[in-house]
Every structure is written in structure tokens, then in C-alpha cells.
Amino acid sequence: MEHVPPPAEELALLDRELAQLDARRAHLLTRRAWLVGALQPQAPNAPRWSTPPVGHGWAPGQPWGSGPRTAKPSAPRSAQNVLLTLGGLLLTVAAVAFTLVSWGSMGIGGRSAVLALVTLAALAAPAVLLRRKLAATAEALAALALVLTLLDVYAIHAVAAPDADGLTFTAVASAVLAALWAAYGLALGKLHLPLPAAVFFVQWPLLLGAWAAGAPAIVVGWALLVTGVVDGAIALWGKGLGVRVTAGIGLAVMGSAALLVGLGESLTAGGPLGALLPGTLLLTAAVAALAGAWRAPDGYAQVGGAVAGLAAVAAVGGVLRAAVPGTWQVPVYLLCGLALLFVVRVRLPRSAGRGVLLAAGAVLAGALVWALPPVAAVLLGPVQLVAEVWAGAPDGFRGALGASMPWSEMVAAPAVLAVVAGGLGAAFRWWPALVRVAAPLITPGAKVRGAAGAGALGLGWGTLLLAAATLDVPYPVAVALETVLVAGLLAVAALGVGAAGAAEGTGPGGGIGSAVRVSALVGAVGGAVSVGLLSLASEAATYAVFGALALLFTGAALRTRAVVEQAVLAVAAVVWGTVLTGCAARSLGLAPHEAAPLLLVVPAVTVGLGARLRRHPVALPVELTGALGGLLAVGLAVGRAPFLALVLALCGVLAAGAAVRPERRPVAGYLAAVLFVAATWVRLAASEVSVPEAYTLPVTVPALVVGVLRRRKDPGASSWTAYGPGLAATLLPSLAVAWTDPDWLRPLLLGVAALVITLLGAKYRLQALLLLGGAVLALDTLHELAPYVVQVAGALPRWLPPALAGLLLLAVGATYEQRLRDARRLKDVLGRMR
């Protein structure tokens, strides 16, 4: 048996793999031995750990001469933890039951003595256990002591101070417990529970105290903020992972609550003076967050910087917001967010500075979310004009957009878009200087510059559209403005104008970046659709707009060199031309079926253009778009058979014209044949011809003669090409008529003809004759036998057909492999036919 790779090479490969596995196992066992030795001190007579040679059955870290011991060291510790946990839970349940059930049966002295004794014992026991190195038992008793202290607090409130306010008592008790457990945890530093418990109790004194005093919301916010600052200090300088995690959770909860309280008070303030106190709270939170970010690790520093930036924007923007009208509040916050960008001039740690920049980006994104929906309303609002084409031009721009937006409240939206667009445009224009300034914090690449340029272009376009809508300019001005904007976007997409981009050499050929061109192309197509819908209110505007669009997109397609952009522009030009032909049909007062032939003008132009372009990459998209226009024409003519036959015939002529070219012949040739045959059938059906053979046979006979001559000249020609169209021209219409013919003569003659054609196809190994003749013969036979089959099926028991079907499936399944081989053999036989 031949091995790949050879046995010697494979053996060497296995040896190398095993050596690597032995080395890795030795490293892991050595590390494990060290950890076990560090956690459990060795007994005096325990065997010494050594490092025997690798490859003799022992691994480093395993006692010399002993077997593997992998599970024993962890088993006692696991059992110990389970026992201690169960014991602690039982003691806790007992203490709770005693306090709640048996408390009332003892006097005040007995109660105090029992609680004091048990609590002191639970607090003192961990110290003794730690000296005996029983850390797990000490942790369990510390947890019991924590529960007992809570029960002590409950007992004191129930007996010693029953009339005290619950919130005030809880606040004081939380402070006492926090101090107690902090001191206890610092005294017994090896316990992991006390200090996190102290951090938990620290969360409540100020909050509950402010709540108990009925303080206003701003005071509660300050209580939350101070608690969050304490949590942040503990998270930065606390000892132990549990302490830092608990403090971090408290910081997130209390800090977020403080920011929400401050933001809510700032947004509901009645004037600038009323917003000063919430602003001071938010600004203090920003300073605290920035101070924490200065010392925190990278990820937390970035979050702290972002929180500081957002809080500062909310603080300053809240005061300014109260001094301006309601429609201009968002621009105020936007300007405050843009002011955060000057953080690049401040010497902040890199992560904290990035967080502030993220906050600025979040403010800008929020402002855009507020300002962009009106732009969408401007672009999509004219859709309603489709239902009432040429009903009359409205007086103003808003009249064509409907009442989908409260335009009086969107006066400031164009200003927001203009500010952001201007900032992005300035960044795109002076990109090298911006990169130098921002280098201490971020190092943006060329893609970011392209995104900035694309954003500036898109937002600038939206600014002009939205400004026209908010000003409610006259309808002709709006149509002209949108058309000019589309022309400008096409100039950017096709010509690549832009001095800044050319100077920096971005994008192919030294023009503006590809991202800007793609943005311009998308905007041009979207704007063209919008202005096209807008122009439907007036007949003159429709012709002017779509004519201009067709010329603009055609010119842009001729000027651009990028293949994809050129294809998109050319396809759009074809679509606008198709719309123009439809408008012409409507102006002439033509019915839909009468307008169908007129719509074939554009497909005819695209066929000629395809012949001109030939193998150019744009040719195929253009021709396919023209074909869609032909499909639309067929759909319009479906209601009238004579017009449908005419349209199908004209489409067949266009397909035949495309089939003259070798690269289109495989598809267009068959399509032309199908369209001509379909046109013939429709024409015969429209004329109510009952004997289609009189019209189809004169076509079939010369077609078959031409096929015979073609086969003699080219024996390798396919039978489908030579005989398929001629046979289908007669067989298929005759079959369609035979299925509705109650007489027996036509089905008989058709069946005989199909049988002869099938036999000729089998004899001369001609695939077209065999398949066409066989299919027609089978369908014709099925039509003739159908009444008898129905009668027999009605006479049979109802269980018999399912039973026969089941038997058939079983037989096919049992001989599945043989049937599969038969099917493959039949496929091969048919494939060898011409």
C-alpha cells in the first residue's frame, strides 16, 4: 500500500508532534506543582518535588517515583467549601428564625445579651480561625456575622427606637455599618468579604438621608454625585478585586443616577437662573469624571472622558438652552459639542482625550438624528403626487410635500446641517493641518478624510433642500433648485472637481476621493428621483425636469471613466428616457395598450446603442434596462390581444436585431424566436382562428427546409437551432387548440404527427425532434385518456390510489440506485444527441 507521505517521513512528523506535546505538558505540570506548593504547605515527610528527565513516564513537577496525581489536591478543598457553605446557611437561617420568632418570648435584657454575645462571637471567631490558617471557615463565619449585624440593626429599631423614621434610621445604620465593616476588614486583611460589604453600605447614607429629609431633587442629585465620587476613589485606590468591582458598580449606578437627575432638572428649568444649579451639578460631575479618567486604565479612562464631555455639554448647554427659543435649543447643544473638539489643544491623557472626542461625536450624531428626518420628508414627500399626476402645481414647496412634518418647528434644522457640513468640509479641505493638531490623541487615515468629504457633500445638499422647504419657496423655484443640485452632484461624481482633493492626490487620477464621488452619485440618483416626483404636479415641469435629467445623466456617463459609475449613470438616463416616452403617450391621450408600442422607442435606442458599444462593460446594463422598458410595454398591452401581438412582434424584431451580434446571439436569438412564436399565437387567438395549422404550416415547412440545409452545411449544428423553431411553430399552437377541441380528428392527426417526429428523432439521434415530439405526444395522449382515467378513478375504492402511490414509492426506493443509473444513462444518451 502506498503511503502519502512516505512512512519514514510520516513517522518523523509524528515524533516531532509528540515531542512538542511532551514539552507543553511538562511546562503545565511544573506550573501546577508550584501553585499547589504555594497554596498548601508540605508536610515534614512529604516527598521532595524534582524535575525528572522528560520522556520516561514522569513529568516535571511530579514526585520522583510516584504516579500521576491530578484530581486529589482539589477534592478536599471543594468538599470543604460545600460543608462550610451549608453550615453558614444553616446558622444564618437559625439566626433569622430566632430573631423573627423567638424574640418576643425574651425580655429586653435577654435579647440584648443574646444578640451581643452571638454577634461578638461571630465577629471574633474569624480572627482566631485566621491564626490557625482556616481561611475558608473564617470567611463563612464573617458572612454569618454580616447577617447578624443586619439583624442587630433590625432589633435595635424594633425595640430601642420604634418611633424613629425608617429612612433616617436606615441611613444612620448604613453609615455605622459601613464604618464598622471597613474597620473590621482593615483589621483582618485576609478576609475578602468585609471591605466589599463596607463599600455596599457606603452607597446609602447620603441618598437615604436626603430622601428622609424631603430634600429637592437637586439635593438628591448632589447626594448621588458625592456617593459616586467616593465610589470612584475606592475603585481607583481600593485594595482587592472585590472592593474595586463593588465600587465600580456603585459608581456606575450612582453616577448615572446623578447625571440623570441633573439632566432632568436642567431640561425642565424655566430660565437660565433655574438651570444654574443643575448645570453646577453636571459640571462638577464632568470635573470628577475627567479627574478619574486621568488616573484610570485605558478603557475606563476613555469612558470617563466621554462621560465628562457629555456632562459638560449638558451643563453649559442647559443654561444657554433656557435663554433661546425652543426651536433653537438643539443648535445650542450642537455648538457646545463642537467646543469639545478643542480638547486636542489640551494636554490630556490619550485615552481620556479620545473619550472627550467620542462625546463630541455623540452630540453631533444626536443633532443629526434630530435634523435628518425633515430631509427625508423633503425627498419622499412628493410621492403623493403619483396618485394625481398633472393635477396642478401648488403655490409653495410645502404644498407638494404634504403635511407630514411640523415645518414651523424645524426652522433650526438647516442651521444644524449647515454647521456640521461646514465642519466636515473644513476638515476635508485642511486635512494635513488637522492631522498634525490631532496627532497627540488620534491619527485618522485617508478613509476618514473621504468619509468627512462625503458627509460634507451630503449634508450640504440636504441643507439647501431643507432650507427651501422651511422657507416655503415657490414651486418653480423648488423644482429648479433641486434640478441644479442634481447637476452639481453629477459634476462632482463624473468630473471629480475639487481643488483640495486634486491637490492632495486623493482618489484615482488625483481627483477627489472615491468616497466623495460615490456619495455624489448616490445623492444625484436620489435627488433625480425626488425632483422627478416633484415635477409630476405640472405637465410642463415634468417634461422640463425629465428632459434635463436625461441630458445630464447622459452627459455625465460620457464624461466619467469609472465603469461602475458610468453604468449607473447610463442606466438612469435610460430610465428617464422611458419616463419621457410614457409622458408623451399621456399627453397624446393614448390608452395604456395604445401607449405600449410607443414605449418601445427607448428599447430600440438601447439596442442600437448596444450595437455601437458592443463589448463595452456599459452595454449590457443599458440593454437590460431597455429590455425592462419592453417588458413594461408588454404589461400595458396585456389587456388587448391585437396590441399585445404587435408589441410581442416588435420586441421580437428588437431581439433579432440584438442577435445579429455574436456576443448576444445565444440569448437574444432564442428570445426572438419565442417572441415571434408568442406574437403569432396571440394574433391567431385574437382573430379567433380555429384552424391555426393553416397559418403555422406555411411557416413550419420552409423553416424545416432551412434547417435541413443548415444541417447539411454544418453537421455539428444543434437540432434545436435547425428544427426547433419550425416544429414549435405548428406543434404548440395545435396542442393548445387540441386541448379545447371536443372533436377527435385534430388530436388524432396531432398524435400521429408527434409520433412520427419522435420516431425520426430517435432514429437520427436528434434531440429537438425526440423531446418536442415526445412531449406533444404525451400531452395529447393524456388529453384523450383523461375522461377515461377520471371514470376509472371514480370507480376505484378511495384507498387504492394512495396504496398504489405508496407501492410505487417503495419500488422506486428499493431500486433507487438502479433508477439513478438509468437516469444518468438517459441523460448521457440525450447529451450525445444533436
Side-chain angles (χ1 to χ4, degrees), residues 383-834:
V383 172
Q384 64 174 347
L385 298 176
V386 176
E388 299 179 358
V389 177
W390 298 348
D395 294 333
F397 193 7
R398 296 182 193 173
L401 303 178
S404 58
M405 292 294 296
W407 295 107
S408 59
E409 301 176 6
M410 294 296 170
V411 177
V416 170
L417 295 179
V419 170
V420 179
L424 293 176
F428 179 77
R429 176 62 181 85
W430 291 286
W431 185 256
L434 178 63
V435 171
R436 287 193 300 270
V437 172
L441 297 182
I442 56 174
T443 54
K447 292 184 178 180
V448 180
R449 181 186 188 184
L457 183 65
L459 293 177
W461 169 55
T463 300
L464 295 176
L465 290 180
L466 192 54
T470 54
L471 295 175
D472 196 17
V473 299
Y475 175 78
V477 176
V479 173
L481 174 64
E482 289 204 39
T483 306
V484 171
L485 289 177
V486 171
L489 292 173
L490 286 175
V492 175
L495 305 179
V497 296
E504 296 299 327
T506 58
I512 64 174
S514 59
V516 179
R517 291 200 304 273
V518 170
S519 176
L521 181 62
V522 173
V525 175
V529 173
S530 177
V531 71
L533 293 173
L534 184 65
S535 68
L536 295 179
S538 169
E539 182 177 4
T542 301
Y543 280 107
V545 167
F546 280 104
L549 291 177
L551 293 176
L552 288 173
F553 276 82
T554 302
L558 294 175
R559 294 298 300 270
T560 187
R561 296 181 180 180
V563 174
V564 175
E565 296 174 3
Q566 192 176 42
V568 172
L569 294 170
V571 166
V574 173
V575 172
W576 311 143
T578 304
V579 174
L580 276 176
T581 57
C583 293
R586 181 179 178 85
S587 297
L588 295 175
L590 301 178
H593 62 275
E594 296 173 337
L598 184 60
L599 289 180
L600 296 178
V601 172
V602 174
V605 173
T606 58
V607 170
L609 186 60
R612 175 78 175 177
L613 296 174
R614 299 190 68 79
R615 297 185 181 276
H616 193 280
V618 179
L620 182 59
V622 168
E623 291 180 82
L624 289 178
T625 308
L628 291 178
L631 186 62
L632 176 62
V634 172
L636 292 176
V638 165
R640 296 293 180 90
F643 279 91
L644 179 59
L646 174 62
V647 171
L648 289 173
L650 292 175
C651 290
V653 172
L654 295 178
V660 173
R661 296 152 52 197
E663 67 273 12
R664 299 286 183 263
R665 188 171 301 153
V667 176
Y670 288 110
L671 180 60
V674 170
L675 290 172
F676 282 133
V677 172
T680 303
W681 295 347
V682 173
R683 181 65 263 179
L684 293 177
S687 301
E688 299 181 353
V689 174
S690 59
V691 186
E693 293 81 3
Y695 298 90
T696 58
L697 283 176
V699 177
T700 295
V701 173
L704 292 178
V705 172
V706 172
V708 170
L709 296 176
R710 169 73 184 277
R711 291 273 296 178
R712 287 182 178 178
K713 183 179 180 181
D714 182 13
S718 171
S719 61
W720 289 100
T721 304
Y723 308 121
L727 292 175
T730 295
L731 289 179
L732 297 182
S734 297
L735 179 63
V737 176
W739 268 68
T740 59
D741 191 350
D743 201 359
W744 57 271
L745 182 59
R746 176 179 279 108
L748 176 61
L749 295 176
L750 179 61
V752 171
L755 177 61
V756 172
I757 293 172
T758 304
L759 294 176
L760 290 175
K763 179 179 180 180
Y764 294 104
R765 306 179 64 82
L766 298 175
Q767 190 181 97
L769 276 66
L770 180 63
L771 294 181
L772 271 176
V776 172
L777 179 61
L779 292 174
D780 186 61
T781 304
L782 177 62
H783 173 262
E784 293 303 308
L785 295 178
Y788 305 102
V789 173
V790 171
Q791 292 179 4
V792 173
L796 292 176
R798 295 192 175 184
W799 56 266
L800 189 57
L804 293 176
L807 290 175
L808 178 62
L809 291 177
L810 287 175
V812 173
T815 60
Y816 176 75
E817 294 296 334
Q818 181 61 37
R819 302 287 78 79
L820 192 60
R821 286 193 292 270
D822 294 341
R824 289 172 178 169
R825 190 178 299 112
L826 178 60
K827 177 184 176 182
D828 293 339
V829 171
L830 289 176
R832 287 193 294 269
M833 291 183 177
R834 299 301 301 171

Side-chain angles (χ1 to χ4, degrees), residues 120-134 137-139 141-142 184 187-188 190-191:
L120 289 176
L123 289 172
V128 178
L129 293 173
L130 286 176
R131 285 196 296 270
R132 295 179 178 271
K133 301 186 182 303
L134 299 175
T137 308
E139 289 288 353
L141 288 179
Y184 189 74
L188 302 178
K190 293 184 178 181
L191 292 179

Side-chain angles (χ1 to χ4, degrees), residues 168-535:
T168 303
F169 184 85
T170 305
V172 175
S174 299
V176 173
L177 289 175
L180 171 65
W181 282 99
Y184 189 74
L186 293 175
L188 302 178
K190 293 184 178 181
L191 292 179
H192 300 289
L193 180 63
L195 290 179
V199 174
F200 173 77
F201 289 126
V202 164
Q203 311 302 314
W204 309 109
L206 293 178
L207 175 61
L208 296 180
W211 193 359
I218 191 65
V219 177
V220 175
W222 279 105
L224 292 169
L225 178 59
V226 173
T227 305
V229 171
V230 173
D231 288 330
I234 296 173
L236 286 175
W237 295 296
K239 294 176 58 178
L241 180 62
V243 174
R244 292 196 297 271
V245 169
T246 306
I249 295 174
L251 170 62
V253 175
M254 296 299 178
S256 300
L259 291 175
L260 290 176
V261 170
L263 180 61
E265 291 294 308
S266 177
L267 292 177
T268 56
L273 294 179
L276 283 177
L277 288 179
T280 305
L281 173 63
L282 292 170
L283 201 57
T284 305
V287 173
L290 191 59
W294 205 293
R295 297 168 178 81
D298 288 343
Y300 298 102
Q302 193 163 339
V303 174
V307 171
L310 292 175
V313 169
V316 179
V319 176
L320 298 177
R321 175 205 64 83
V324 299
T327 56
W328 294 93
Q329 293 178 358
V330 174
V332 166
Y333 284 106
L334 175 62
L335 293 177
C336 294
L338 291 175
L340 294 179
L341 297 176
F342 289 98
V343 72
V344 297
R345 293 289 189 179
V346 181
R347 293 183 178 180
L348 283 179
R350 187 177 180 89
S351 297
R354 284 183 173 182
V356 177
L357 292 180
L358 286 176
V363 174
L364 265 66
L368 290 179
V369 168
W370 175 80
L372 285 179
V375 178
V378 172
L379 293 175
L380 301 178
V383 172
Q384 64 174 347
L385 298 176
V386 176
E388 299 179 358
V389 177
W390 298 348
D395 294 333
F397 193 7
R398 296 182 193 173
L401 303 178
S404 58
M405 292 294 296
W407 295 107
S408 59
E409 301 176 6
M410 294 296 170
V411 177
V416 170
L417 295 179
V419 170
V420 179
L424 293 176
F428 179 77
R429 176 62 181 85
W430 291 286
W431 185 256
L434 178 63
V435 171
R436 287 193 300 270
V437 172
L441 297 182
I442 56 174
T443 54
K447 292 184 178 180
V448 180
R449 181 186 188 184
L457 183 65
L459 293 177
W461 169 55
T463 300
L464 295 176
L465 290 180
L466 192 54
T470 54
L471 295 175
D472 196 17
V473 299
Y475 175 78
V477 176
V479 173
L481 174 64
E482 289 204 39
T483 306
V484 171
L485 289 177
V486 171
L489 292 173
L490 286 175
V492 175
L495 305 179
V497 296
E504 296 299 327
T506 58
I512 64 174
S514 59
V516 179
R517 291 200 304 273
V518 170
S519 176
L521 181 62
V522 173
V525 175
V529 173
S530 177
V531 71
L533 293 173
L534 184 65
S535 68

Side-chain angles (χ1 to χ4, degrees), residues 98 103 106-115:
F98 169 78
W103 184 259
M106 301 178 63
I108 185 62
R111 300 171 186 175
S112 302
V114 170
L115 279 175

